[in-house]
Amino acid sequence: MTTLIRFGVSLEKALLDKFDALIHEKQYTNRSEAIRDLLRENLVKKEWESNKEVTGAITLAYDHHKRELVNHLMNVQHDYHDTIISTQHIHLDHHNCLEVLVVKGKSQNAETLFHKLKSAKGVKHAGFTITTTGKNLH
Ligand code: NI
């Protein structure tokens, strides 16, 4: 069972006012949840920097008429079949495709995969949302 501990924090009023404005803008209803999220954000960042097992989602927007590009993206993805646990391909219009790759594995592997896909000639945009397996977070 998780033990909740209350602790006091001293802050300059101006900083606290800015924090309150920020968390209001981001739809938090109280400071505690906002602070918990900030802490988790940093812990997840640390997991990534320490090459821990992580999860994430890579998005790719590209024109599928560029035949060599499609082959290249497919080859790269097969090289990383251990890291990619799911893919979704959406035909956005006659030319454009959106691919979503869910990844799980060592963070360095996932990063390398992302950069190989992003740097492919013809990829219009590549995004990477990095997150956690959740195992070491509460
Ligand atoms: Ni398509």
Side-chain angles (χ1 to χ4, degrees):
M1 206 173 115
T2 311
T3 310
L4 271 184
I5 296 173
R6 298 175 70 91
F7 65 101
V9 178
S10 304
L11 284 181
E12 290 81 7
K13 188 184 180 310
L15 184 59
L16 184 60
D17 287 347
K18 280 189 177 169
F19 183 65
D20 283 342
L22 181 75
I23 67 176
H24 177 74
E25 189 185 306
K26 294 188 182 285
Q27 309 294 317
Y28 287 101
T29 52
N30 64 68
R31 289 175 184 153
S32 292
E33 189 52 28
I35 290 170
R36 280 193 284 267
D37 266 3
L38 282 175
L39 293 173
R40 290 190 203 106
E41 199 73 45
N42 277 275
L43 291 168
V44 170
K45 197 171 164 227
K46 182 77 184 162
E47 286 182 352
W48 275 82
E49 288 168 358
S50 313
N51 198 25
K52 294 274 168 30
E53 189 186 52
V54 296
T55 59
I58 295 171
T59 53
L60 300 172
Y62 62 88
D63 182 341
H64 76 99
H65 287 125
K66 296 181 189 290
R67 186 60 58 191
E68 280 177 28
L69 171 64
V70 176
N71 283 337
H72 178 65
L73 293 178
M74 198 56 66
N75 284 335
V76 172
Q77 291 187 39
H78 275 268
D79 286 345
Y80 284 82
H81 65 87
D82 284 338
T83 305
I84 302 168
I85 56 175
S86 172
T87 62
Q88 187 173 22
H89 184 108
I90 297 107
H91 311 302
L92 294 172
D93 59 30
H94 187 68
H95 296 278
N96 294 296
C97 303
L98 171 66
E99 240 168 61
V100 182
L101 285 65
V102 178
V103 297
K104 183 180 176 201
K106 297 275 187 183
S107 60
Q108 278 178 9
N109 245 2
E111 293 259 9
T112 305
L113 167 62
F114 170 64
H115 289 295
K116 282 187 177 181
L117 296 168
K118 183 183 169 66
S119 63
K121 193 165 176 270
V123 171
K124 295 182 177 181
H125 186 260
F128 196 5
T129 302
I130 62 178
T131 185
T132 175
T133 61
K135 284 179 194 164
N136 300 310
L137 287 182
H138 296 285

